[in-house]
Amino acid sequence: MKKFPQKTVTRTLLYVRTLDNLLEQGKKFVSSWELAEITDLTDVQIRKDISNFGRVGRPRLGYEIRKLKSILEEYVLQHTVHVVLFGVGNLGSAIIRYPGFHNEKIKMVAAFDVDKKKVGKKIRDVKIYSFDEATKVVPKTHAEIGIIAVPAEHSQETADIIVASGLRGIVNFTPTTINVPKDVFVKNIDLSIEFLSLFCDIQRT
Amino acid sequence: MKKFPQKTVTRTLLYVRTLDNLLEQGKKFVSSWELAEITDLTDVQIRKDISNFGRVGRPRLGYEIRKLKSILEEYVLQHTVHVVLFGVGNLGSAIIRYPGFHNEKIKMVAAFDVDKKKVGKKIRDVKIYSFDEATKVVPKTHAEIGIIAVPAEHSQETADIIVASGLRGIVNFTPTTINVPKDVFVKNIDLSIEFLSLFCDIQRT
DNA sequence: CCTTGTGAACGGATTCACAGCT
DNA sequence: AGCTGTGAATCCGTTCACAAGG
């Protein structure tokens, strides 16, 4: 299992998503140029990326979609990802209900909240537990990733619980930087920064 | 007003956020090394970035937080960003209620939904209009950015409405690629891809 | 021919190494 | 000494130009 740069991985996942759509449309073959149109990348970029995975295209015809998809998935999507959620507030509940988290690729398997009134309830088949139960419950779920969707001031303690539960991946939706051991991977999604940076793009034109 | 690479802009916004927090903690000065610790970047990177904005640090003392913050904000945050939301479903309502969208930096000014039952209601002081009203209402709000939080199959038509309303920035939360004129900036936030790419990071260690 | 595949050239961003300041 | 500031060097990713193949 070779290692690829993050950028390549992200693009590859985008290709898989795109190929899924093309399959639904009943297409059989696709050229790097068509993929480039859809994904807003260049055709060379796409061929370079795909060439990482071997010679899979056919000159004159392009790529056989089903075959390409299965090859790419072999590298970036061996099996379902299981995630658990910490913080069932506005954002948390929306994440639980997000359609992308209930398919064969990603599955939400448990949620945690400090509010005793929420504990024991279910949203979309996802059961809500108390924070204290995390270190006991999480290992049983075989989860790999924890989501932080609590108020910003509790992000660090939540991160500590996630690490203590044995998870090695964290998606942090709070506008804070959390401290974790270096073998734990963190992805920060700060909506404010996303919006403000887009605004900068607009202005400097 | 000089132009900086996106990466620099994103980091600069992160510095501003961090400096805000440090100010709240009552700190007056900060060194590039301390900032590096907090933000998980290198001290040189931080000094390079800051040097874009002039000589603002003081050897031996570091940076005066209040001063540095105001200098950085001058470049990346001249005035409040106004956003409008399309699609008041689970995700949409969570975004309206997101605390980061009701301060002096970002303000949500209107929301749109096709569901007539929602039209006319308010969430958190944000009024909900019908999709048809967008081209009339949006210009009055002085919004700069539109958010797509509708079901994936309606992303393109929503994008068309946003463009027709005169907005030049789009944040797209659907797992689709939208087509827009080339002077319109799009930021795609595909939660599934974020999670899957994090999962790849974890696995290849 | 038309499209994939790829070594080489290029460019931009990060890091290094050190000069400058107090 | 201890920090900031910065030209030079390095690294990584993208693009170019062209070879390969049905």
Side-chain angles (χ1 to χ4, degrees):
Chain A
M1 179 66 186
K2 275 166 60 185
K3 293 177 187 178
F4 301 102
Q6 265 113 347
K7 293 214 166 184
T8 308
V9 172
T10 311
R11 282 195 304 266
T12 303
L13 290 163
L14 180 60
Y15 303 151
V16 172
R17 191 187 83 182
T18 308
L19 295 171
D20 271 332
N21 294 339
L22 291 172
L23 270 183
E24 275 177 30
Q25 289 166 33
K27 287 202 63 163
K28 295 274 182 250
F29 285 85
V30 67
S31 70
S32 57
W33 187 87
E34 286 174 287
L35 279 176
E37 270 295 288
I38 300 171
T39 57
D40 247 320
L41 301 164
T42 69
D43 54 343
V44 190
Q45 177 77 79
I46 286 168
R47 289 201 299 277
K48 254 265 145 75
D49 284 337
I50 293 177
S51 76
N52 284 317
F53 308 103
R55 290 199 169 211
V56 38
R58 304 208 344 225
R60 196 91 175 104
L61 274 173
Y63 302 92
E64 212 247 294
I65 297 179
R66 200 175 299 276
K67 182 179 163 196
L68 176 57
K69 188 190 147 199
S70 79
I71 289 175
L72 299 184
E73 281 185 338
E74 199 178 306
Y75 281 89
V76 295
L77 205 89
Q78 294 99 323
H79 64 85
T80 307
V81 183
H82 303 268
V83 302
V84 293
L85 172 76
F86 289 81
V88 189
N90 291 312
L91 184 58
S93 337
I95 293 173
I96 296 183
R97 295 193 176 92
Y98 185 69
F101 288 167
H102 301 273
N103 53 39
E104 75 284 356
K105 293 176 184 173
I106 307 183
K107 208 168 198 74
M108 170 138 346
V109 288
F112 299 88
D113 201 284
V114 286
D115 184 349
K116 298 295 177 199
K117 287 197 289 291
K118 290 175 185 164
V119 173
K121 296 209 172 125
K122 270 192 180 186
I123 299 181
R124 262 279 214 142
D125 273 15
V126 178
K127 198 171 162 193
I128 303 173
Y129 300 87
S130 134
F131 261 49
D132 322 316
E133 306 174 84
T135 50
K136 268 168 288 172
V137 173
V138 171
K140 288 183 199 157
T141 62
H142 302 103
E144 292 102 1
I145 294 177
I147 305 173
I148 302 183
V150 300
E153 57 270 30
H154 299 115
S155 61
Q156 184 57 55
E157 52 195 281
T158 306
D160 295 339
I161 292 173
I162 291 178
V163 171
S165 305
L167 298 175
R168 296 198 36 242
I170 296 179
V171 175
N172 174 25
F173 281 96
T174 71
T176 57
T177 336
I178 53 177
N179 287 307
V180 296
K182 60 190 168 318
D183 62 331
V184 175
F185 292 82
V186 178
K187 178 147 279 186
N188 294 298
I189 300 183
D190 184 326
L191 294 185
S192 301
I193 289 185
E194 302 287 348
F195 279 77
L196 293 170
S197 76
L198 178 62
F199 186 52
C200 286
D201 290 345
I202 299 173
Q203 294 227 307
R204 60 181 182 183
T205 14
Chain B
M1 180 65 186
K2 275 164 60 183
K3 292 176 188 177
F4 300 102
Q6 266 114 344
K7 292 214 167 183
T8 309
V9 171
T10 310
R11 282 195 303 266
T12 303
L13 289 163
L14 179 59
Y15 302 151
V16 171
R17 190 188 85 181
T18 308
L19 295 171
D20 269 332
N21 293 340
L22 291 171
L23 270 182
E24 274 176 30
Q25 289 166 31
K27 286 202 63 161
K28 296 275 184 247
F29 285 85
V30 67
S31 70
S32 58
W33 187 87
E34 286 174 287
L35 278 176
E37 270 294 289
I38 299 172
T39 58
D40 248 319
L41 301 164
T42 69
D43 54 343
V44 191
Q45 177 76 80
I46 287 168
R47 290 201 298 278
K48 255 265 147 70
D49 283 337
I50 294 176
S51 76
N52 284 317
F53 308 102
R55 290 199 169 211
V56 38
R58 292 179 29 195
R60 207 72 187 111
L61 273 172
Y63 302 93
E64 212 247 295
I65 297 179
R66 198 175 300 277
K67 182 179 162 194
L68 176 58
K69 188 191 147 199
S70 77
I71 288 175
L72 298 184
E73 280 185 339
E74 200 177 306
Y75 282 88
V76 294
L77 206 90
Q78 294 99 324
H79 64 84
T80 307
V81 182
H82 303 269
V83 303
V84 292
L85 172 76
F86 289 81
V88 190
N90 291 314
L91 184 58
S93 342
I95 294 173
I96 297 184
R97 295 195 176 92
Y98 185 69
F101 287 168
H102 300 274
N103 53 40
E104 75 284 354
K105 292 174 183 173
I106 306 183
K107 209 169 198 73
M108 169 136 348
V109 288
F112 299 88
D113 201 285
V114 286
D115 184 351
K116 298 295 178 198
K117 289 198 287 294
K118 289 176 185 164
V119 173
K121 297 211 171 124
K122 272 191 177 185
I123 298 180
R124 261 280 215 143
D125 273 18
V126 178
K127 200 172 161 191
I128 303 172
Y129 300 88
S130 135
F131 260 49
D132 322 315
E133 304 174 87
T135 49
K136 270 168 286 173
V137 173
V138 171
K140 290 184 196 154
T141 63
H142 302 104
E144 291 103 1
I145 293 175
I147 304 172
I148 302 183
V150 300
E153 57 270 30
H154 299 114
S155 60
Q156 184 58 54
E157 52 195 282
T158 307
D160 295 339
I161 293 173
I162 291 178
V163 172
S165 305
L167 297 175
R168 296 198 36 243
I170 296 179
V171 175
N172 174 25
F173 280 95
T174 72
T176 59
T177 335
I178 53 178
N179 287 309
V180 296
K182 59 189 169 318
D183 62 331
V184 175
F185 292 82
V186 178
K187 177 146 278 188
N188 293 299
I189 300 183
D190 184 325
L191 295 185
S192 300
I193 289 186
E194 302 286 348
F195 278 76
L196 293 171
S197 76
L198 177 61
F199 185 52
C200 287
D201 291 346
I202 298 173
Q203 293 226 307
R204 60 180 181 184
T205 16

